[in-house]
Amino acid sequence: RDKSCLYQKNQFLGLVIWNYFVQTVSSSVTSFLNERYLLQKSRFPREVIPLAIVSANYFLFLISLIILIVSTVSIGYGVPNLIILLISILWLGIFTGSLSLLLSVLQIRFRDISYLTQSSLGLLYYFTPIIYDLKMIPIRYHLVYYFNPLTSIVEYMRLALVKDGIVPVGMVTANLLITILVLAGS
């Protein structure tokens, strides 16, 4: 395995995850406002609107991930660890779905949530190990990553697919607790 190929796979995997997350959250935040006429005219569970965006983007994410898995296996990285991969895929779906639902509900009450979300997503990009490895960051700065569930998700997927990633237990625990809090809040 070539180091540059490994680095490119890590970057591509991080970008696939990031694109799913950003597109889903960005589209879902204003979904209730965009579909207000549909909500007024028919009766159905309101949660369907943002969750439809989440599931449609999730399907596209899975297609991208399958392409990445096939290319990873064909290059010679071996078969991915399916258990870790499935756990991280499920975790990504739960976190993204619950955050999207929470933010879309908050957008109804506080109209500036969409602007705050867009600004936060731009900042979150730099605090998520997408184009760099968590190994490159000094340990004293890892506390920032304890508050970002995407960090553990990206690192778990890297560990499952390219056999390259670090997953500190304390960080995973903190990220799981944040995911559970966001899920409960939604």
Side-chain angles (χ1 to χ4, degrees), residues 19-102:
N19 284 339
Y20 163 70
F21 179 76
V22 166
Q23 289 175 353
T24 303
V25 171
S26 298
S27 301
S28 297
V29 169
T30 59
S31 62
F32 285 137
L33 294 176
N34 294 341
E35 303 298 333
R36 64 182 169 267
Y37 297 113
L38 178 65
L39 290 169
Q40 292 170 353
K41 299 220 182 262
S42 57
R43 300 189 54 87
F44 58 91
R46 310 267 189 251
E47 300 86 16
V48 169
I49 292 176
L51 293 179
I53 295 169
V54 170
S55 60
N57 287 341
Y58 198 64
F59 179 72
L60 296 174
F61 164 73
L62 291 176
I63 291 172
S64 300
L65 195 61
I66 289 170
I67 293 170
L68 181 63
I69 290 170
V70 168
S71 70
T72 303
V73 169
S74 67
I75 288 177
Y77 285 99
V79 178
N81 187 333
L82 293 178
I83 293 174
I84 294 175
L85 186 63
L86 289 175
I87 288 171
S88 56
I89 290 171
L90 184 64
W91 187 0
L92 178 64
I94 290 171
F95 177 67
T96 305
S98 56
L99 184 65
S100 297
L101 189 59
L102 179 66

Side-chain angles (χ1 to χ4, degrees), residues 125-137:
Y125 177 78
Y126 296 104
F127 291 114
T128 305
I130 295 166
I131 57 172
Y132 58 88
D133 290 336
L134 194 58
K135 292 182 265 186
M136 297 170 73
I137 306 299

Side-chain angles (χ1 to χ4, degrees), residues 2-15 68 75 77 130-131 133 158 162:
D2 187 11
K3 288 260 188 205
S4 66
C5 185
L6 176 68
Y7 183 69
Q8 290 172 350
K9 289 291 180 192
N10 280 341
Q11 284 183 327
F12 184 69
L13 177 61
L15 288 172
L68 181 63
I75 288 177
Y77 285 99
I130 295 166
I131 57 172
D133 290 336
R158 282 185 180 149
V162 231

Side-chain angles (χ1 to χ4, degrees), residues 63-185:
I63 291 172
S64 300
L65 195 61
I66 289 170
I67 293 170
L68 181 63
I69 290 170
V70 168
S71 70
T72 303
V73 169
S74 67
I75 288 177
Y77 285 99
V79 178
N81 187 333
L82 293 178
I83 293 174
I84 294 175
L85 186 63
L86 289 175
I87 288 171
S88 56
I89 290 171
L90 184 64
W91 187 0
L92 178 64
I94 290 171
F95 177 67
T96 305
S98 56
L99 184 65
S100 297
L101 189 59
L102 179 66
L103 291 174
S104 63
V105 169
L106 288 174
Q107 173 67 21
I108 294 170
R109 178 84 170 119
F110 307 105
R111 297 298 170 116
D112 292 336
I113 291 294
S114 63
Y115 302 116
L116 182 63
T117 300
Q118 294 304 321
S119 301
S120 299
L121 287 175
L123 185 62
L124 187 63
Y125 177 78
Y126 296 104
F127 291 114
T128 305
I130 295 166
I131 57 172
Y132 58 88
D133 290 336
L134 194 58
K135 292 182 265 186
M136 297 170 73
I137 306 299
I139 292 182
R140 65 180 178 266
Y141 298 121
H142 278 202
L143 183 62
V144 173
Y145 297 93
Y146 277 70
F147 298 103
N148 181 4
L150 288 175
T151 301
S152 292
I153 294 168
V154 169
E155 290 298 314
Y156 263 133
M157 283 201 195
R158 282 185 180 149
L159 186 64
L161 285 176
V162 231
K163 320 285 191 276
D164 181 54
I166 59 169
V167 189
V169 176
M171 185 180 298
V172 172
T173 306
N175 292 165
L176 272 173
L177 287 174
I178 290 172
T179 303
I180 290 169
L181 288 174
V182 170
L183 180 63

